[in-house]
Amino acid sequence: MKIVCKKSNLLNGVQNVSKAVPVRTTMSILECILVDASQGEIKLTANDMEIGIETIIDGTIEQPGKIALEAKIFIEIVKKLPDNDITIETDEKNMTYIKCENSNFNLVGKSGDDYTYLPKIEKIDSIVLSQFTLKEIIRQTIFSIGAAEGSNKLMAGELFEIKDDVLKVVALDGHRIAVRKVKMKNAYGEKKVIVPGKALNEISKILPGDTDKDVEVFFTDKHIVFEFNTTTVVARLLEGEYFNINQMLSSDYETKMKINKNSLFSCIDRATLLASEGNSKPVIMQIEEGKMLMNMNSAIGSMSETIDIEKTGKDLVIGFNPKFLMDALKAIDDEIIDVYLVNSKAPCYIKNADETYNYMVLPVNFTTVS
Amino acid sequence: MKIVCKKSNLLNGVQNVSKAVPVRTTMSILECILVDASQGEIKLTANDMEIGIETIIDGTIEQPGKIALEAKIFIEIVKKLPDNDITIETDEKNMTYIKCENSNFNLVGKSGDDYTYLPKIEKIDSIVLSQFTLKEIIRQTIFSIGAAEGSNKLMAGELFEIKDDVLKVVALDGHRIAVRKVKMKNAYGEKKVIVPGKALNEISKILPGDTDKDVEVFFTDKHIVFEFNTTTVVARLLEGEYFNINQMLSSDYETKMKINKNSLFSCIDRATLLASEGNSKPVIMQIEEGKMLMNMNSAIGSMSETIDIEKTGKDLVIGFNPKFLMDALKAIDDEIIDVYLVNSKAPCYIKNADETYNYMVLPVNFTTVS
């Protein structure tokens, strides 16, 4: 194989696919990036068997062929080479020569034939979203998924539910739920899949997020495929029946608080200073006519702060894990938000009128301090 | 005590003095910052017994007094408070109330009387430098000092030598020497002190580095004192006779190489990719008429690169620890540098004509690869 391509193209390509290189694996070939110039285009591939990424880069093929190169050192070399044309050439023993200006690197590669390709997917059933929309909807929900090694594996994924022209994304762990809805340009048949959080995390890292460029998302029984620009990401779906969240999301409330989002966020942020690491002390909100008093008490000291609010309904004292509230607030763009509450034991909902977002957080017990 | 000051002033002050708060200590009072408003000004102090920092901040004293506050939480609170006036008030039991807008923090402080003050220094003997000059000369030498827990404690410090209007700073470990000279505006009597590297590191972090503002440096038998803006840093000197570097710095050479500094730096930087961590493989330079060929060989692969040079004297093959060369090159501003060599076992010198800088690096043994 002999190919020539611009450093910037190659770097962008290897960095994209590197997100699918497993950190630890017993199959050493998976630690490699496959450079495949055997089919008339230069294609880079990485694959950890749960998520696979392919990207096609511009360049000249002087001699077709393919080679698998250890990802870590390959990326570092490309990164540090001068900003000019890079030539990659291999011999029949998989010795690889990487040249740029006066620099020459020799690496021992592995045969491309040993590489595990991405599964062939029949691309029939698809939806189209802007890159920006997909990136945003992931950011606005992903923090709510459960740990991958948790008791319930489905919590480590997000529900993608399509109905007509609406995409609904749901993430939940044992303590909170995040729901986001977006309108798409076209309507589609009903679909419901659970996408692993890890794959979504990696996609959102490499997705440029342009508002005027699209992602095409294909669905099969076992896989979801994201295609954007010259990159393809294939992820294995989680199998099972997702939680019925409709019965967890009530719209009854006894207390409604309208509050400035940034004021609330900064106030919780300050309160958490007093919670030493690993010790998740609750913040206590005392909701009254026209104001909310926040309290935090710990061995280090105490903190109190008042924020002006608009309240309807009953007064209420309720405690929360500060992190869960802050995560939800970070995902909301509105300046003024509505918080719906029932009593000190019932979930709270932060949502807007048309429910394009709905964040449910369970309260925590607390002992009232005088 | 009751004081009021702007958040920005207080934050700047606590961040400055925090550099002298010990990370680990058996004297818990030293983990505090002393806020002293008993003498008509608001003075913040931290002191780990080797280095002490004091800074005076603007503000209003409504009731004189002093308090010692646990540094870590105090800084975090100041950082996260709104950008407005902060009131700090204490009661007779050292309970401390920190208020800003609608935020109130209560902390348990410690009596300021228990705090260990900085030593009183007679400020007689001094020199004056611009803040920029001091910050630069530290940056350009500090990387060459030895480890604090090394066999020779004097290597953990830098020699500050004053003679007439020249300040010479020397740092060395067992493998290299860094020498820098600067001209001062005034001439002074001869002085020679060894300043702990730790103190210099901390000073260079808090020194704003303005070219048009000065630092006054005072000397006593046991201490060195740096005064700039409203901040005072006191450091205990290292005691002993510093190394006689003149006998280590030869000006004889057999080979002189004129080379572009950035090309050399990037080339070594690329070569180090092949040295796996912890394994300091040498870079090998083959110096010939008109060009220098650099080689690196390791288990991962090999690298070679040619750089155009101007050579005078003999051809030479010599190996170096790449880190030592790169450290020296980073400290040099010149675009074209002169490298002086004798043979493959003798030290190399990177220095300019008037020797305002001279970096000596010892070569390492290597086995030539065909």
Side-chain angles (χ1 to χ4, degrees), chain B residues 78-159:
Chain B
V78 176
K79 215 184 267 177
K80 295 217 166 160
L81 282 174
D83 200 1
N84 210 327
D85 281 351
I86 296 178
T87 304
I88 304 178
E89 192 173 357
T90 59
D91 67 15
E92 65 287 348
K93 287 176 178 159
N94 297 317
M95 271 304 297
T96 306
Y97 307 92
I98 305 175
K99 286 179 203 174
C100 184
E101 292 183 0
N102 295 320
S103 261
N104 298 282
F105 279 90
N106 293 359
L107 291 180
V108 182
K110 291 196 168 101
S111 166
D113 297 326
D114 299 341
Y115 201 81
T116 317
Y117 281 83
L118 302 195
K120 277 265 165 269
I121 305 284
E122 278 198 47
K123 293 173 185 167
I124 301 169
D125 205 8
S126 79
I127 63 168
V128 174
L129 292 170
S130 83
Q131 294 183 6
F132 176 80
T133 301
L134 180 61
K135 202 176 165 104
E136 275 294 282
I137 208 166
I138 296 173
R139 178 184 74 81
Q140 290 161 341
T141 52
I142 195 85
F143 57 85
S144 276
I145 64 169
E149 58 280 0
S151 53
N152 193 320
K153 285 202 171 159
L154 295 185
M155 285 189 185
E158 296 205 329
L159 178 71

XYZ file of all heavy atoms in Angstrom, chain B residues 78-159:
644
model
N -14.963 32.141 48.496
C -14.742 33.453 47.874
C -14.896 33.343 46.356
O -15.522 34.171 45.702
C -13.348 34.004 48.242
C -13.081 35.312 47.510
C -13.235 34.218 49.745
N -14.349 32.248 45.791
C -14.408 32.041 44.349
C -15.851 31.990 43.838
O -16.163 32.540 42.790
C -13.708 30.703 44.044
C -12.939 30.679 42.753
C -12.355 29.299 42.491
C -10.933 29.135 43.004
N -10.418 27.767 42.814
N -16.723 31.324 44.591
C -18.080 31.100 44.094
C -19.082 32.173 44.519
O -20.234 32.115 44.105
C -18.567 29.726 44.551
C -17.734 28.600 43.929
C -18.533 27.399 43.565
C -17.718 26.502 42.650
N -18.215 25.127 42.637
N -18.667 33.121 45.337
C -19.607 34.173 45.725
C -19.823 35.119 44.541
O -18.982 35.212 43.650
C -19.083 34.936 46.949
C -19.259 34.213 48.291
C -18.587 34.983 49.418
C -20.740 33.985 48.617
N -20.958 35.838 44.517
C -21.191 36.788 43.420
C -20.112 37.873 43.413
O -19.436 38.106 44.416
C -22.561 37.390 43.754
C -23.202 36.452 44.710
C -22.087 35.788 45.460
N -19.972 38.537 42.273
C -18.939 39.561 42.106
C -19.401 40.874 42.730
O -19.815 41.783 42.032
C -18.667 39.734 40.607
C -17.325 40.390 40.370
O -16.633 40.675 41.358
O -16.995 40.629 39.205
N -19.311 40.961 44.047
C -19.845 42.117 44.752
C -19.091 42.276 46.076
O -18.111 41.578 46.302
C -21.347 41.902 44.991
C -22.111 43.201 45.027
O -21.594 44.223 45.466
N -23.342 43.158 44.562
N -19.536 43.168 46.942
C -18.867 43.347 48.238
C -19.070 42.128 49.138
O -20.178 41.612 49.251
C -19.431 44.581 48.952
C -18.835 45.857 48.393
O -17.881 45.758 47.595
O -19.329 46.945 48.737
N -17.990 41.705 49.783
C -18.062 40.583 50.712
C -17.797 41.098 52.122
O -16.841 41.844 52.338
C -17.024 39.493 50.346
C -17.348 38.895 48.972
C -16.965 38.399 51.417
C -16.357 37.846 48.495
N -18.646 40.715 53.067
C -18.448 41.096 54.466
C -17.988 39.869 55.242
O -18.582 38.799 55.118
C -19.773 41.608 55.076
O -20.249 42.673 54.270
C -19.559 42.092 56.508
N -16.900 40.013 56.003
C -16.456 38.928 56.884
C -16.539 39.437 58.317
O -15.959 40.464 58.653
C -15.011 38.490 56.559
C -14.894 38.083 55.087
C -14.580 37.328 57.464
C -13.486 37.691 54.665
N -17.292 38.715 59.121
C -17.512 39.155 60.495
C -17.283 37.970 61.424
O -17.663 36.850 61.097
C -18.970 39.645 60.618
C -19.230 40.397 61.904
C -20.626 41.027 61.921
O -21.353 40.916 60.901
O -20.979 41.597 62.962
N -16.633 38.219 62.563
C -16.383 37.116 63.494
C -16.961 37.466 64.853
O -17.139 38.642 65.176
C -14.868 36.871 63.666
O -14.270 38.073 64.160
C -14.209 36.503 62.361
N -17.284 36.440 65.650
C -17.697 36.718 67.022
C -16.596 36.247 67.983
O -15.545 35.766 67.549
C -19.062 36.089 67.336
C -19.030 34.565 67.347
O -17.924 33.981 67.398
O -20.111 33.958 67.286
N -16.846 36.380 69.271
C -15.791 36.098 70.264
C -15.438 34.609 70.317
O -14.395 34.225 70.820
C -16.203 36.640 71.645
C -17.415 36.003 72.308
C -18.739 36.415 71.640
O -18.757 37.363 70.805
O -19.754 35.780 71.946
N -16.315 33.754 69.749
C -16.016 32.323 69.724
C -15.368 31.898 68.404
O -15.332 30.703 68.076
C -17.302 31.510 69.934
C -17.806 31.564 71.377
C -19.124 30.824 71.484
C -19.628 30.805 72.921
N -21.082 30.544 72.962
N -14.930 32.872 67.595
C -14.309 32.633 66.285
C -15.275 32.082 65.238
O -14.860 31.581 64.202
C -13.094 31.697 66.389
C -11.996 32.315 67.235
O -11.705 33.503 67.089
N -11.427 31.530 68.128
N -16.575 32.149 65.492
C -17.549 31.841 64.441
C -17.423 32.952 63.415
O -17.330 34.135 63.761
C -18.977 31.830 65.003
C -19.422 30.489 65.540
S -19.286 29.135 64.338
C -20.446 29.683 63.070
N -17.383 32.567 62.152
C -17.147 33.543 61.098
C -18.329 33.574 60.137
O -18.792 32.525 59.690
C -15.860 33.184 60.341
O -14.808 33.067 61.290
C -15.494 34.240 59.319
N -18.806 34.764 59.853
C -19.946 34.943 58.952
C -19.448 35.615 57.682
O -18.872 36.693 57.737
C -21.030 35.792 59.625
C -21.407 35.236 60.978
C -20.759 35.675 62.134
C -22.356 34.221 61.096
C -21.056 35.124 63.377
C -22.663 33.672 62.330
C -22.008 34.125 63.466
O -22.307 33.571 64.679
N -19.624 34.944 56.564
C -19.215 35.527 55.289
C -20.480 35.819 54.501
O -21.274 34.913 54.236
C -18.294 34.551 54.512
C -17.095 34.160 55.392
C -17.833 35.161 53.207
C -16.187 33.108 54.772
N -20.661 37.088 54.152
C -21.908 37.477 53.486
C -21.632 38.161 52.167
O -20.704 38.971 52.055
C -22.683 38.484 54.371
C -23.326 37.853 55.546
C -24.059 38.876 56.400
C -24.163 38.284 57.807
N -24.715 39.207 58.792
N -22.456 37.871 51.174
C -22.370 38.552 49.899
C -23.741 38.475 49.248
O -24.285 37.378 49.092
C -21.313 37.881 49.031
S -21.057 38.720 47.464
N -24.303 39.623 48.915
C -25.685 39.682 48.405
C -26.593 38.845 49.312
O -26.573 39.050 50.520
C -25.741 39.236 46.935
C -25.035 40.237 46.024
C -25.128 39.877 44.543
O -25.740 38.854 44.194
O -24.595 40.651 43.718
N -27.333 37.864 48.778
C -28.252 37.077 49.610
C -27.638 35.804 50.157
O -28.336 34.949 50.682
C -29.502 36.720 48.801
C -30.291 37.940 48.424
O -30.427 38.856 49.237
N -30.782 37.988 47.200
N -26.315 35.653 49.978
C -25.631 34.436 50.409
C -24.984 34.619 51.776
O -24.333 35.629 52.009
C -24.516 34.101 49.426
O -24.915 33.136 48.525
N -25.144 33.633 52.637
C -24.534 33.678 53.971
C -23.836 32.370 54.263
O -24.461 31.318 54.203
C -25.619 33.843 55.038
C -26.362 35.129 54.861
O -25.881 36.188 55.220
N -27.546 35.023 54.260
N -22.561 32.440 54.583
C -21.839 31.248 55.019
C -21.428 31.410 56.472
O -20.998 32.494 56.878
C -20.568 31.056 54.176
C -20.806 30.402 52.851
C -21.088 31.166 51.728
C -20.754 29.024 52.726
C -21.312 30.567 50.504
C -20.975 28.425 51.501
C -21.255 29.190 50.379
N -21.550 30.344 57.244
C -21.013 30.323 58.610
C -19.913 29.283 58.683
O -20.138 28.134 58.297
C -22.096 29.913 59.618
C -23.183 30.960 59.715
O -23.114 31.989 59.050
N -24.179 30.692 60.539
N -18.744 29.680 59.162
C -17.628 28.760 59.308
C -17.066 28.883 60.706
O -17.103 29.961 61.296
C -16.495 29.128 58.347
C -16.655 28.942 56.851
C -15.374 29.382 56.166
C -16.953 27.484 56.541
N -16.478 27.800 61.195
C -15.774 27.891 62.467
C -14.323 28.268 62.166
O -13.617 27.532 61.483
C -15.827 26.548 63.227
C -15.128 26.674 64.577
C -17.254 26.097 63.397
N -13.878 29.419 62.643
C -12.496 29.856 62.435
C -11.619 29.453 63.606
O -12.072 28.794 64.546
N -10.351 29.841 63.507
C -9.432 29.597 64.617
C -8.878 30.939 65.076
O -8.768 31.877 64.280
C -8.266 28.713 64.152
C -8.676 27.293 63.826
C -7.440 26.391 63.771
C -7.841 24.924 63.750
N -7.787 24.347 62.407
N -8.491 31.014 66.329
C -7.979 32.277 66.853
C -6.741 32.722 66.078
O -5.800 31.948 65.886
C -7.638 32.112 68.324
O -6.864 33.227 68.723
N -6.735 33.969 65.643
C -5.588 34.521 64.930
C -4.349 34.569 65.805
O -3.218 34.609 65.302
N -4.534 34.562 67.131
C -3.382 34.639 68.042
C -2.523 33.381 67.983
O -1.353 33.399 68.338
C -3.860 34.847 69.486
C -4.588 36.176 69.630
O -4.193 37.138 68.925
O -5.549 36.238 70.415
N -3.130 32.265 67.543
C -2.379 31.014 67.482
C -1.522 30.926 66.229
O -0.740 29.992 66.064
C -3.344 29.809 67.480
C -4.184 29.767 68.742
O -3.771 30.415 69.726
O -5.242 29.121 68.730
N -1.714 31.887 65.313
C -1.039 31.784 64.017
C 0.445 32.130 64.131
O 0.834 33.028 64.867
C -1.701 32.722 63.003
C -1.408 32.294 61.590
C -2.134 31.283 60.983
C -0.369 32.881 60.875
C -1.852 30.864 59.705
C -0.077 32.467 59.590
C -0.819 31.453 59.008
O -0.522 31.044 57.747
N 1.278 31.400 63.404
C 2.713 31.641 63.403
C 3.033 32.726 62.389
O 2.858 32.527 61.191
C 3.461 30.357 62.986
O 2.867 29.266 63.658
C 4.930 30.453 63.320
N 3.483 33.848 62.862
C 3.767 34.958 61.961
C 5.030 34.713 61.154
O 5.855 33.876 61.500
C 3.876 36.262 62.751
C 2.520 36.789 63.081
C 1.819 36.304 64.184
C 1.903 37.721 62.253
C 0.544 36.748 64.463
C 0.641 38.177 62.534
C -0.037 37.689 63.630
O -1.297 38.133 63.895
N 5.186 35.483 60.101
C 6.423 35.437 59.324
C 7.538 36.032 60.170
O 7.291 36.897 61.005
C 6.278 36.262 58.045
C 5.150 35.872 57.093
C 5.368 36.528 55.733
C 5.064 34.375 56.933
N 8.771 35.570 59.960
C 9.881 36.156 60.715
C 10.017 37.642 60.384
O 9.782 38.055 59.253
C 11.091 35.362 60.217
C 10.674 34.733 58.934
C 9.212 34.509 59.036
N 10.381 38.418 61.377
C 10.653 39.848 61.131
C 12.010 39.953 60.444
O 13.004 39.395 60.902
C 10.704 40.623 62.457
C 9.375 41.032 62.993
C 9.032 42.481 62.568
C 7.546 42.818 62.767
N 6.717 42.531 61.578
N 12.049 40.626 59.335
C 13.277 40.734 58.559
C 13.739 42.184 58.569
O 12.933 43.087 58.351
C 13.025 40.320 57.082
C 12.415 38.925 56.999
C 14.295 40.441 56.252
C 13.355 37.791 57.231
N 15.036 42.387 58.828
C 15.560 43.750 58.694
C 15.817 44.019 57.230
O 16.667 43.385 56.607
C 16.876 43.890 59.467
C 16.661 44.125 60.934
C 17.926 44.686 61.570
O 18.518 45.644 60.997
O 18.345 44.153 62.602
N 15.077 44.953 56.676
C 15.170 45.193 55.235
C 16.221 46.258 54.943
O 15.921 47.441 54.839
C 13.811 45.612 54.691
C 12.803 44.485 54.774
C 11.411 44.935 54.390
C 10.415 43.805 54.616
N 9.032 44.266 54.555
N 17.491 45.816 54.830
C 18.579 46.759 54.600
C 19.172 46.558 53.219
O 19.191 47.448 52.380
C 19.688 46.565 55.661
C 19.098 46.780 57.063
C 20.845 47.548 55.413
C 20.005 46.358 58.184
N 19.600 45.308 52.993
C 20.380 44.982 51.814
C 19.435 44.527 50.698
O 18.804 43.486 50.813
C 21.308 43.822 52.220
C 22.539 43.789 51.361
O 22.742 44.725 50.572
O 23.295 42.810 51.483
N 19.354 45.287 49.599
C 18.379 44.887 48.586
C 18.841 45.169 47.164
O 19.768 45.943 46.930
C 17.049 45.594 48.837
O 17.105 46.922 48.363
N 18.193 44.497 46.219
C 18.381 44.805 44.799
C 16.994 45.010 44.188
O 15.987 44.618 44.768
C 19.111 43.670 44.037
C 18.274 42.375 44.042
C 20.491 43.400 44.619
C 18.767 41.312 43.085
N 16.965 45.639 43.011
C 15.697 45.894 42.338
C 15.737 45.323 40.922
O 16.704 45.514 40.188
C 15.395 47.420 42.291
C 14.141 47.690 41.462
C 15.234 47.973 43.692
N 14.689 44.577 40.574
C 14.551 43.960 39.248
C 13.149 44.257 38.741
O 12.244 44.473 39.538
C 14.619 42.437 39.368
C 15.885 41.738 39.755
C 15.565 40.273 40.029
C 16.890 41.860 38.625
N 12.949 44.183 37.417
C 11.558 44.264 36.960
C 10.905 42.919 37.239
O 11.565 41.878 37.279
C 11.484 44.611 35.477
O 11.648 43.461 34.694
N 9.586 42.950 37.435
C 8.853 41.702 37.697
C 9.036 40.729 36.538
O 9.174 39.525 36.734
C 7.363 42.007 37.891
C 7.089 42.839 39.134
C 5.599 43.081 39.345
O 4.767 42.538 38.623
N 5.269 43.888 40.342
N 9.044 41.276 35.329
C 9.212 40.450 34.138
C 10.552 39.713 34.170
O 10.628 38.511 33.923
C 9.110 41.325 32.885
C 9.375 40.577 31.611
C 8.392 39.786 31.040
C 10.617 40.660 30.987
C 8.637 39.091 29.867
C 10.868 39.963 29.814
C 9.881 39.172 29.251
N 11.613 40.456 34.492
C 12.958 39.869 34.510
C 13.050 38.730 35.516
O 13.588 37.655 35.213
C 13.994 40.958 34.861
O 13.898 41.989 33.886
C 15.400 40.396 34.874
N 12.513 38.941 36.706
C 12.594 37.885 37.724
C 11.802 36.653 37.298
O 12.278 35.519 37.392
C 12.077 38.415 39.068
C 12.116 37.386 40.215
C 13.540 36.917 40.499
C 11.488 37.949 41.489
N 10.594 36.891 36.792
C 9.742 35.774 36.367
C 10.423 34.980 35.247
O 10.421 33.748 35.254
C 8.397 36.338 35.888
C 7.243 35.358 35.910
C 5.943 36.054 35.500
C 4.874 35.039 35.158
N 3.873 34.893 36.215
N 11.029 35.700 34.295
C 11.688 35.044 33.171
C 12.911 34.250 33.615
O 13.121 33.113 33.199
C 12.126 36.101 32.135
C 11.047 36.489 31.160
C 10.648 35.353 30.233
O 11.375 35.070 29.273
O 9.590 34.757 30.502
N 13.740 34.852 34.456
C 14.991 34.181 34.834
C 14.691 32.928 35.660
O 15.432 31.936 35.585
C 15.963 35.164 35.543
C 17.404 34.717 35.307
C 15.675 35.283 37.017
C 18.436 35.777 35.660
N 13.592 32.927 36.387
C 13.199 31.707 37.104
C 12.767 30.650 36.095
O 13.235 29.513 36.115
C 12.069 31.993 38.127
C 12.554 32.940 39.227
C 11.559 30.684 38.737
C 11.470 33.422 40.186
N 11.876 31.041 35.167
C 11.392 30.089 34.153
C 12.541 29.479 33.362
O 12.540 28.301 33.026
C 10.438 30.820 33.187
C 9.913 29.953 32.051
C 9.044 30.730 31.063
N 9.768 31.624 30.183
C 10.412 31.257 29.067
N 10.416 29.991 28.706
N 11.047 32.142 28.316
N 13.558 30.307 33.070
C 14.629 29.869 32.174
C 15.688 28.997 32.856
O 16.634 28.564 32.213
C 15.294 31.116 31.557
C 14.392 31.833 30.575
C 14.824 33.265 30.326
O 15.559 33.849 31.120
N 14.367 33.837 29.224
N 15.544 28.774 34.156
C 16.553 27.998 34.877
C 15.968 26.904 35.764
O 16.589 25.867 35.965
C 17.390 28.927 35.793
O 16.484 29.700 36.602
C 18.270 29.857 34.991
N 14.739 27.111 36.257
C 14.207 26.271 37.337
C 14.111 24.787 36.967
O 14.221 23.910 37.823
C 12.816 26.808 37.795
C 12.397 26.223 39.130
C 11.741 26.574 36.759
C 12.940 26.975 40.309
N 13.941 24.495 35.675
C 13.791 23.096 35.243
C 15.058 22.287 35.480
O 15.019 21.054 35.466
C 13.406 23.048 33.757
C 14.392 23.747 32.865
C 15.518 23.077 32.405
C 14.211 25.075 32.506
C 16.448 23.723 31.602
C 15.132 25.728 31.701
C 16.254 25.060 31.251
N 16.188 22.962 35.685
C 17.462 22.253 35.858
C 17.789 21.889 37.296
O 18.800 21.241 37.546
C 18.626 23.106 35.317
O 18.761 22.923 33.934
N 16.972 22.311 38.256
C 17.318 21.990 39.644
C 17.073 20.516 39.922
O 16.290 19.858 39.244
C 16.552 22.852 40.683
C 15.040 22.580 40.632
C 16.848 24.318 40.511
C 14.310 23.200 41.810
N 17.765 20.006 40.939
C 17.613 18.612 41.320
C 16.366 18.418 42.168
O 15.739 19.379 42.608
N 15.994 17.160 42.388
C 14.814 16.856 43.204
C 15.078 17.237 44.658
O 16.199 17.126 45.146
C 14.488 15.372 43.099
N 14.017 17.698 45.341
C 14.155 18.144 46.731
C 14.607 17.003 47.632
O 15.310 17.211 48.610
C 12.834 18.732 47.228
N 14.190 15.759 47.292
C 14.565 14.626 48.141
C 15.837 13.936 47.626
O 16.137 12.807 47.995
C 13.408 13.641 48.310
C 12.847 13.036 47.033
C 11.891 14.005 46.329
O 11.685 15.124 46.853
O 11.385 13.651 45.262
N 16.582 14.611 46.741
C 17.810 14.034 46.190
C 18.924 13.980 47.220
O 18.782 14.440 48.356
N 20.037 13.420 46.812
C 21.128 13.232 47.755
C 21.759 14.567 48.151
O 22.154 14.775 49.278
C 22.190 12.324 47.130
O 22.571 12.841 45.872
N 21.826 15.487 47.196
C 22.450 16.762 47.513
C 21.403 17.867 47.595
O 20.837 18.289 46.588
C 23.492 17.115 46.463
C 24.368 18.261 46.930
O 23.889 19.223 47.550
N 25.659 18.161 46.660
N 21.146 18.338 48.814
C 20.057 19.295 49.030
C 20.275 20.621 48.313
O 19.325 21.308 47.961
C 19.884 19.558 50.523
C 19.202 18.383 51.188
C 18.545 18.749 52.490
C 17.708 17.557 52.932
N 17.408 17.571 54.348
N 21.550 20.997 48.125
C 21.820 22.291 47.486
C 21.345 22.302 46.029
O 21.059 23.347 45.470
C 23.312 22.620 47.547
C 23.864 22.844 48.960
C 25.325 23.282 48.883
C 23.053 23.879 49.716
N 21.257 21.119 45.413
C 20.754 21.041 44.034
C 19.285 21.416 43.934
O 18.801 21.741 42.856
C 20.945 19.631 43.472
C 22.372 19.310 43.099
S 22.432 17.750 42.207
C 24.210 17.531 42.021
N 18.559 21.351 45.073
C 17.143 21.717 45.059
C 16.945 23.234 45.110
O 15.817 23.720 45.142
C 16.418 21.053 46.220
N 18.061 23.970 45.109
C 17.963 25.424 45.122
C 18.642 26.029 43.904
O 19.260 25.326 43.105
N 18.508 27.338 43.752
C 19.203 28.042 42.679
C 20.173 29.041 43.303
O 19.855 29.706 44.286
C 18.214 28.824 41.806
C 17.226 27.966 41.071
C 16.690 28.664 39.806
O 16.607 29.909 39.814
O 16.402 27.970 38.827
N 21.350 29.143 42.691
C 22.305 30.158 43.134
C 21.908 31.507 42.545
O 21.723 31.639 41.334
C 23.709 29.790 42.636
C 24.815 30.802 43.000
C 25.135 30.759 44.488
C 26.066 30.554 42.164
